[in-house]
Amino acid sequence: MKIGFIGTGNMGQAILEGFIVSEKVKKEDIFIYDPDQLKLDTLIKKYGVSTAENENKLAESSELIILAVKPNIYDKILEKIKSNIDGKKKILTIAAGYSVDRAEGILGNDKKIIRTMPNMPAQILEGMTGVVFNKNITHEEKAEILELLTGFGGAEEIDEKLMHVFTSISGSIPAVVDIFIEALADGAVLNGMPRDKAYRILSEAVAGSAHMIGKTKKHPGLLKDEVCSPGGTTIEAVAALEKGGFRAALIEAVNKCTEKSVKLSEK
Ligand SMILES: NC(=O)C1=CN([C@@H]2O[C@H](COP(=O)(O)OP(=O)(O)OC[C@H]3O[C@@H](n4cnc5c(N)ncnc54)[C@H](OP(=O)(O)O)[C@@H]3O)[C@@H](O)[C@H]2O)C=CC1
Ligand SMILES: O=C(O)[C@@H]1CCC=N1
């Protein structure tokens, strides 16, 4: 399948890298367009992909078009390329708060639209992508797209009304985890550990703890209890977090993030 990227910023590049590293897509089948020529030149050199003169040329030569620009220019770009989108091509969106309805409103409800919410670990094949298909995507096409997206991590079809909260707990979550690890490393540095060593240890310890939840299927509260020895070290950390409002801050973070996705969808 010929795949075109409109926009090769942070997320576009992460997906591009995911396709190449996973070998799900041949470099000859990838086209990219971005107004930043320097960015294009770097990516062409790095991945051996091709560029297109503009958004319309890219749409003409691609069967699947990935719109990887900021949400505020989605309408403009879709308007621009719509004459090149027939009933066979597929448009894949990745923007926060950009509904299937909105894309259909511009392209027509006879077009094939896939709304996704990927996340940055796609670039190391450990991404998580939420997917919504419009009614024009066939059963076979759904399987083909899910197979493509699982090349760079997990992918699952979700109900579109859950896409706002999915954005909070998957699309945006790398930033939350990054802050969490950075702050924990500050604590380690405070106690004399070199920062690079702390980051290396934390990335393993945090990944392992996260995998425990998925693999053991135990309740996270139970896993926490198993770590807290009576009168031991961990319960001191737990007490400090509760005192600092850690849980409330995280709940509010998910809530605010979800609200913002809703707001973006109302624009
Ligand atoms: N970053 C993330 O972790 C995630 C992002 N997303 C979604 O991905 C989308 C992109 O975000 P992100 O990658 O972070 O943003 P970036 O700003 O990093 O990337 C957007 C890219 O699009 C380029 N661009 C601007 N205008 C055009 C145009 N007319 N044609 C082609 N390219 C254009 C920009 O160039 P220039 O910089 O020169 O303007 C930039 O390179 C957003 O819709 C966001 O909601 C979804 C999940 C996770
Ligand atoms: O911050 C954003 O709006 C995008 C969507 C999810 C992650 N980054």
Side-chain angles (χ1 to χ4, degrees), residues 6-12 33-36 39 55 68-71 73-74 76-77 80 94-96 117-120 171:
I6 300 185
T8 52
N10 294 311
M11 198 61 233
Y33 173 74
D34 194 288
D36 185 341
K39 206 180 278 174
E55 298 94 329
V69 294
K70 292 285 188 206
I73 61 165
Y74 258 63
K76 194 180 95 186
I77 304 257
K80 205 167 175 180
I94 66 168
M117 177 46 60
N119 70 3
M120 286 296 274

Side-chain angles (χ1 to χ4, degrees), residues 14-247:
I15 297 174
L16 170 62
E17 181 141 352
F19 284 159
I20 300 274
V21 177
S22 66
E23 298 178 345
K24 285 276 172 192
V25 190
K26 293 199 284 278
K27 60 183 190 305
E28 300 80 32
D29 289 337
I30 299 181
F31 302 88
I32 56 176
Y33 173 74
D34 194 288
D36 185 341
Q37 190 58 45
L38 188 66
K39 206 180 278 174
L40 286 180
D41 291 342
T42 311
L43 294 173
I44 291 164
K45 199 168 162 198
K46 186 169 177 192
Y47 300 114
V49 296
S50 310
T51 186
E53 210 175 293
N54 55 44
E55 298 94 329
N56 273 308
K57 294 270 183 223
L58 179 129
E60 264 173 42
S61 35
S62 310
E63 296 159 87
L64 173 71
I65 298 142
I66 300 181
L67 210 48
V69 294
K70 292 285 188 206
N72 63 319
I73 61 165
Y74 258 63
D75 289 351
K76 194 180 95 186
I77 304 257
L78 286 180
E79 287 288 356
K80 205 167 175 180
I81 62 170
K82 78 174 186 193
S83 60
N84 278 302
I85 307 301
D86 58 21
K88 287 193 197 127
K89 290 188 194 280
K90 298 177 197 77
I91 294 281
L92 187 146
T93 72
I94 66 168
Y98 201 86
S99 66
V100 164
D101 242 19
R102 189 139 161 201
E104 284 183 349
I106 296 173
L107 298 174
N109 59 12
D110 56 338
K111 302 299 185 311
K112 293 184 189 288
I113 293 156
I114 305 146
R115 174 181 178 184
T116 71
M117 177 46 60
N119 70 3
M120 286 296 274
Q123 75 188 94
I124 55 156
L125 312 186
E126 291 185 30
M128 181 63 208
T129 307
V131 192
V132 177
F133 297 102
N134 85 337
K135 63 181 186 316
N136 304 317
I137 306 283
T138 65
H139 193 65
E140 292 72 34
E141 287 170 331
K142 279 187 186 182
E144 188 186 19
I145 293 295
L146 287 172
E147 160 76 11
L148 180 70
L149 300 175
T150 48
F152 52 75
E156 66 182 63
E157 191 172 354
I158 62 159
D159 189 333
E160 188 165 21
K161 65 177 185 300
L162 292 177
M163 208 49 155
H164 300 301
V165 68
F166 183 90
T167 300
S168 314
I169 63 159
S170 184
S172 299
I173 217 66
V176 175
V177 174
D178 293 337
I179 293 172
F180 174 66
I181 288 186
E182 187 187 17
L184 290 170
D186 284 345
V189 171
L190 188 65
N191 283 280
M193 183 178 280
R195 185 169 289 275
D196 57 345
K197 199 180 185 79
Y199 284 145
R200 188 166 42 74
I201 292 166
L202 279 162
S203 80
E204 294 287 336
V206 171
S209 309
H211 286 144
M212 282 282 283
I213 298 169
K215 291 200 171 142
T216 64
K217 310 260 187 285
K218 286 185 183 172
H219 188 289
L222 177 60
L223 288 169
K224 180 266 293 174
D225 288 353
E226 287 172 359
V227 185
C228 293
S229 309
T233 59
T234 317
I235 199 67
E236 294 288 336
V238 171
L241 289 176
E242 297 293 359
K243 197 171 164 196
F246 186 62
R247 286 172 192 263

Side-chain angles (χ1 to χ4, degrees), residues 165 168 248-262:
V165 68
S168 314
L250 290 174
I251 293 168
E252 187 60 357
V254 171
N255 210 27
K256 284 285 175 199
C257 196
T258 306
E259 276 177 18
K260 182 65 186 209
S261 174
V262 172

